[in-house]
Amino acid sequence: MVAEDDEKQAELVRRYLEHEGHAVTVVGDGLAALAEVRHREPDLLVLDVMMPRADGLDVVRVLRAEHRELPVLMLTARSTEDDLLLGLDLGADDYMTKPYSPRELMARVRTLLRRSRRGAESTASAADQTLRCGALVVDPDRHEVSVEGLPVDCTPGEFRILAAMATEPERVFSRQRLLEELHGFDRYISFRTVDVHIMNLRKKIEPAPRRPIRLLTVFGVGYKLTDPAKNAPRAS
């Protein structure tokens, strides 16, 4: 699905997508995008930020609140880092600024679709692969996270990072390794993306985000997930 109020831009994206064999639905405002996603359940949403009736950021906010996990690629004329980080914080999977190369856009679409299909295949074929690190539980089958029995809402990007780290507690993951979990080997996405996801995860899983005890920074190397109960100082 393409949500873009600029008719020329929308037509250009539609033609490129159809040329690659995709069936495409185009809408011109945010409310129509929400209605069509609910009705059609597309495999991917290419979403402009500046749209009438509801902007792209509001669309992502609502979709993630409804626990819809379709990949979202945002397009915008804004180019500041704050806008980029806000889109990712709300749950967008990727972000491109205008003007953009249609060929690069198609490459990113392919990457997001491949990753989405791999996730669906692994979920369908997996048995019980619940991941645990102390009181933190990650359930890839149900796409659920809990801490001390309480549910934690994660964006798709946050979930991918947490699930990857929960497979090997105590292992230090470099920012490059976590970036690959998020976007494959996309050279256009910066390490800052990983840092934002880590910061947001700490707000959700740490009792005191400024003094993390589960999701730790290993300075100069990366991040690791640890069980605070195992690392608590013992009484003498």
Side-chain angles (χ1 to χ4, degrees):
M1 177 176 295
V2 176
E4 167 67 78
D5 65 322
D6 185 318
E7 293 184 2
K8 291 183 178 179
Q9 287 285 332
E11 179 64 13
L12 177 65
V13 176
R14 182 187 66 80
R15 289 185 178 183
Y16 269 88
L17 287 168
E18 289 183 342
H19 180 72
E20 295 211 354
H22 302 294
V24 183
T25 298
V26 177
V27 296
D29 66 75
L31 292 184
L34 288 171
E36 288 297 305
V37 166
R38 292 163 179 156
H39 175 64
R40 297 179 181 273
E41 298 186 355
D43 297 304
L44 182 141
L45 175 60
V46 179
L47 177 66
D48 185 33
V49 170
M50 301 298 291
M51 288 190 299
R53 302 180 71 199
D55 67 22
L57 296 175
D58 287 333
V59 171
V60 173
R61 186 181 291 110
V62 171
L63 292 177
R64 297 317 187 205
E66 295 178 350
H67 304 289
R68 297 181 186 274
E69 299 175 6
L70 79 159
V72 176
L73 171 57
M74 300 194 77
L75 306 175
T76 182
R78 299 171 176 175
S79 58
T80 67
E81 186 181 61
D82 288 343
D83 291 322
L84 164 64
L85 299 182
L86 178 58
L88 295 171
D89 188 18
L90 291 174
D93 295 270
D94 205 348
Y95 201 103
M96 293 186 67
T97 56
K98 300 176 181 179
Y100 53 82
S101 160
R103 292 180 62 187
E104 180 189 339
L105 175 63
M106 294 304 106
R108 295 196 184 203
V109 165
R110 288 192 295 270
T111 297
L112 288 174
L113 287 174
R114 279 197 303 268
R115 190 176 67 213
S116 177
R117 288 164 185 158
R118 282 199 303 269
E121 290 167 359
S122 63
T123 298
S125 62
D128 180 14
Q129 295 192 11
T130 301
L131 307 170
R132 300 177 185 274
C133 183
L136 174 70
V137 179
V138 181
D139 189 335
D141 289 351
R142 296 180 176 84
H143 207 277
E144 293 176 350
V145 176
S146 65
V147 176
E148 297 180 351
L150 299 176
V152 177
D153 288 329
C154 293
T155 68
E158 292 165 5
F159 186 87
R160 283 193 291 275
I161 285 180
L162 202 56
M165 299 182 76
T167 60
E168 297 183 75
E170 304 298 335
R171 172 187 168 183
V172 180
F173 286 76
S174 69
R175 294 158 88 201
Q176 178 63 48
R177 178 70 181 85
L178 295 175
L179 197 63
E180 291 165 11
E181 289 293 332
L182 284 171
H183 298 284
F185 294 91
D186 191 340
R187 67 182 184 279
Y188 299 100
I189 303 298
S190 72
F191 288 147
R192 179 65 174 146
T193 303
V194 173
D195 297 336
V196 169
H197 284 312
I198 294 292
M199 177 182 66
N200 290 332
L201 279 169
R202 283 173 172 162
K203 293 176 183 177
K204 298 177 180 182
I205 69 172
E206 297 283 4
R210 292 178 179 271
R211 297 186 297 276
I213 58 175
R214 290 188 174 93
L215 190 47
L216 307 182
T217 299
V218 180
F219 291 100
V221 184
Y223 301 99
K224 72 174 180 178
L225 192 64
T226 189
D227 178 0
K230 291 183 177 180
N231 297 315
R234 298 179 179 178
S236 59

